[in-house]
Amino acid sequence: MYTISADVFAQRRRRLMDEIGDEAVAIIAGPSMKGRSNDTEYAYRPSSDLLYLTGFREPEAVLVLAPGHDAGEVVLFVPDRDKLKELWEGRRVGPEGAVQEYGADVGLGLSELDEKLPDWLEGRKQLYYTLGSRDDFDRRVIEWTQGLRHRRGKKSTAPGTIVDLRDLLHRSRLVKGEEELGLLRKACEISSEAHILAMKYCRPGMHEYELQALLEYHYRRSGGEYPAYTTIVGSGDNATILHYTENRDRIESGDVVLIDSGCEFGFYAGDITRSFPANGSFTPAQRDIYQAVLEAQKAAIEFCQPGASYDELKSSVERQLTESLVDLGLLEGSIDELMEESKFRDYYPHSIGHSLGIDVHDVGLVRPEDGESRPLEPGVVLTIEPGIYIPAGDESAPEEMRGVGIRIEDDVLVTETGVENLTASCPKTVEEIEALVGSGDASNLDL
Ligand code: GLY
Ligand code: MN
Ligand code: MN
């Protein structure tokens, strides 16, 4: 139920191959392992593009797509079988598994890259490849094309043009299919449950990391592999740091706690933010700010109809928040002038959201080469996450508002007829939140 089937992977590869045509070849390489400390490494996360086209998880694999090639059009280079490495590091499917389990026409070991990969470059005019994603690999790609020219003693046998692969591939990743939506819904459901758990068991005197542990425990026990990004638990002034991840401080009564956290399930990301009073009651000033963000967030969700412009979505939220910032006494002046000068940036310094999928900051909504956004269409999933942040040191702000950061983030699906909030199960009205926070029996953590 929660998988992507072999047919879907094959269809994605077919689509890309049809788009590039049989004068071209594409190379998609997974990232290299990264050292963490001495000889230990960070857990490996395959490249999202490679996952999208193959589902293959082992490190450093390389996919070559050469439409119509006599020797096979889908070639997957994978870690070589190696008894000792498999004893220490884990099982490998090897070149045979690349064919039998992952649908490649040809499976080869990574040790054969230099010798074999140029065979699929020869005679192709364009190479679709994302330069800059991996330095060592960029160098090898150049060496292979150069080597091919010299090896064969002919001038035109290697691709003369390198084309950025991202536009075509990410255009396809932007619109989610049924199976992907199944995984995204699950990631959103687990993320929502985790936020409910954190709100339920929050007490002044706890530390931010205790809430982080609760969220991440829930992700793992629910079958999620990792948090989709580093969990943010910021209390008080820490909530005004947009991507605060230290999560070390004690949570005080009177603080608003901002949690931005999501589960990655089957390599698809959830991404939810909730902001709530640590002691279960917002102060009047906190409530006013919260309400302003919530109203902007609800209006923005409604804006996400098929055909809507992402750029207009952004500017409509900026205008609404500018009006609220004036009402709250945080900005002064005419709305048009404040908008002209982007003064909202003093308190709302980020964008309204981003597409969501295999990457938490997913791809395809904005074209890589010109920065222009595409209109929303059915199957697009995006986050809606306005916020207002007032640092403790902001002496121009009313005193009772200082040291408060509020962001509210949901994940929404654009449908044929409107919009569906995939994280609607996570409470967000003032009344719901105040009733939930601290309502759990701390001696029985639902664990
Ligand atoms: N969690 C990062 C973001 O909301 O964009
Ligand atoms: Mn987030
Ligand atoms: Mn987000």
Side-chain angles (χ1 to χ4, degrees):
M1 181 184 173
Y2 294 119
T3 49
I4 305 288
S5 54
D7 283 354
V8 168
F9 287 121
Q11 282 160 19
R12 293 170 178 173
R13 293 191 294 264
R14 182 77 268 150
R15 171 176 169 168
L16 183 61
M17 287 194 283
D18 289 347
E19 285 173 336
I20 66 174
D22 59 12
E23 293 194 331
V25 56
I27 301 180
I28 300 102
S32 30
M33 298 288 293
K34 296 261 183 312
R36 181 173 188 276
S37 159
N38 192 10
D39 58 353
T40 67
E41 282 153 338
Y42 284 104
Y44 187 74
R45 171 60 157 74
S47 126
S48 297
D49 286 342
L50 199 67
L51 277 173
Y52 180 76
L53 291 168
T54 63
F56 192 74
R57 300 166 167 229
E58 291 175 34
E60 305 186 2
V62 177
L63 175 68
V64 179
L65 297 175
H69 198 287
D70 293 344
E73 49 184 10
V74 177
V75 188
L76 192 55
F77 289 87
V78 300
D80 297 78
R81 297 299 307 269
D82 181 323
K83 267 198 164 158
L84 190 62
K85 288 235 153 103
E86 289 181 61
L87 168 69
W88 282 91
E89 296 166 8
R91 297 185 182 93
R92 297 176 169 187
V93 301
E96 277 180 26
V99 174
Q100 280 158 18
E101 296 175 39
Y102 292 90
D105 297 326
V106 180
L108 292 164
L110 282 171
S111 62
E112 301 174 280
L113 262 179
D114 288 327
E115 191 196 331
K116 297 281 178 50
L117 193 142
D119 289 349
W120 275 273
L121 297 179
E122 187 174 19
R124 300 273 155 164
K125 291 198 172 132
Q126 303 95 25
L127 167 61
Y128 282 78
Y129 173 70
T130 306
L131 278 165
S133 45
R134 193 173 136 187
D135 289 351
D136 63 322
F137 206 82
D138 288 358
R139 213 173 34 249
R140 287 174 86 177
V141 167
I142 292 162
E143 280 165 11
W144 291 326
T145 48
Q146 281 301 98
L148 197 56
R149 290 184 185 118
H150 295 146
R151 186 173 92 189
R152 309 287 155 110
K154 288 186 248 159
K155 278 225 158 86
S156 59
T157 57
T161 314
I162 296 185
V163 185
D164 192 335
L165 178 66
R166 292 176 300 167
D167 200 30
L168 287 180
L169 186 53
H170 294 180
R171 171 76 188 80
S172 158
R173 279 179 51 189
L174 174 63
V175 177
K176 272 63 183 179
E178 274 313 305
E179 291 180 345
E180 301 186 274
L181 286 175
L183 292 164
L184 272 165
R185 282 180 198 284
K186 186 72 180 164
C188 288
E189 178 190 317
I190 299 168
S191 306
S192 170
E193 290 163 353
H195 277 263
I196 292 172
L197 207 58
M199 287 191 261
K200 209 165 148 185
Y201 290 105
C202 178
R203 297 276 195 288
M206 286 176 85
H207 288 78
E208 294 164 344
Y209 52 74
E210 294 178 71
L211 295 182
Q212 175 183 6
L214 209 50
L215 289 147
E216 294 180 5
Y217 167 70
H218 187 66
Y219 298 157
R220 199 64 181 115
R221 77 168 166 179
S222 307
E225 304 217 17
Y226 304 102
Y229 49 93
T230 308
T231 300
I232 297 167
V233 182
S235 56
D237 194 44
N238 294 339
T240 69
I241 301 167
L242 301 178
H243 283 174
Y244 169 83
T245 52
E246 288 170 35
N247 303 349
R248 260 188 234 122
D249 282 352
R250 190 172 182 273
I251 298 169
E252 305 295 342
S253 185
D255 283 351
V256 171
V257 181
L258 182 155
I259 298 183
D260 183 346
S261 179
C263 174
E264 184 174 286
F265 185 86
F267 292 112
Y268 281 77
D271 184 7
I272 298 181
T273 307
R274 289 293 181 265
S275 310
F276 56 89
N279 62 16
S281 298
F282 283 113
T283 64
Q286 291 168 351
R287 183 177 297 118
D288 289 346
I289 304 165
Y290 188 91
Q291 206 54 46
V293 176
L294 183 61
E295 276 159 25
Q297 204 244 8
K298 284 187 183 162
I301 291 176
E302 277 316 303
F303 198 98
C304 295
Q305 303 292 320
S309 146
Y310 176 71
D311 296 327
E312 282 172 25
L313 165 69
K314 278 204 295 200
S315 56
S316 73
V317 173
E318 288 162 2
R319 177 164 281 271
Q320 181 168 350
L321 282 179
T322 300
E323 288 166 4
S324 296
L325 290 166
V326 170
D327 292 344
L328 290 166
L330 289 161
L331 293 181
E332 266 177 45
S334 87
I335 302 298
D336 285 340
E337 274 171 25
L338 292 168
M339 282 293 289
E340 190 73 27
E341 293 168 29
S342 300
K343 287 299 281 181
F344 56 83
R345 294 221 151 269
D346 292 353
Y347 296 106
Y348 169 52
H350 57 79
S351 181
I352 184 56
H354 47 85
S355 54
L356 186 71
I358 307 183
D359 285 306
V360 63
H361 294 164
D362 209 44
V363 291
L365 197 52
V366 178
R367 296 162 65 92
E369 74 281 15
D370 57 14
E372 193 181 302
S373 66
R374 297 187 163 99
L376 300 184
E377 60 188 301
V380 170
V381 175
L382 73 162
T383 68
I384 296 294
E385 50 179 308
I388 293 180
Y389 313 89
I390 307 152
D394 181 355
E395 291 181 4
S396 68
E399 206 169 335
E400 63 279 14
M401 293 189 183
R402 296 180 202 164
V404 176
I406 287 169
R407 175 162 70 253
I408 306 172
E409 176 174 27
D410 282 308
D411 304 335
V412 307
L413 165 68
V414 182
T415 66
E416 295 287 343
T417 53
V419 56
E420 179 188 344
N421 184 351
L422 303 180
T423 48
S425 62
C426 194
K428 66 179 175 185
T429 68
V430 167
E431 297 72 27
E432 286 168 339
I433 281 190
E434 289 190 337
L436 181 61
V437 173
S439 64
D441 170 4
S443 64
N444 168 22
L445 274 178
D446 275 6
L447 301 183

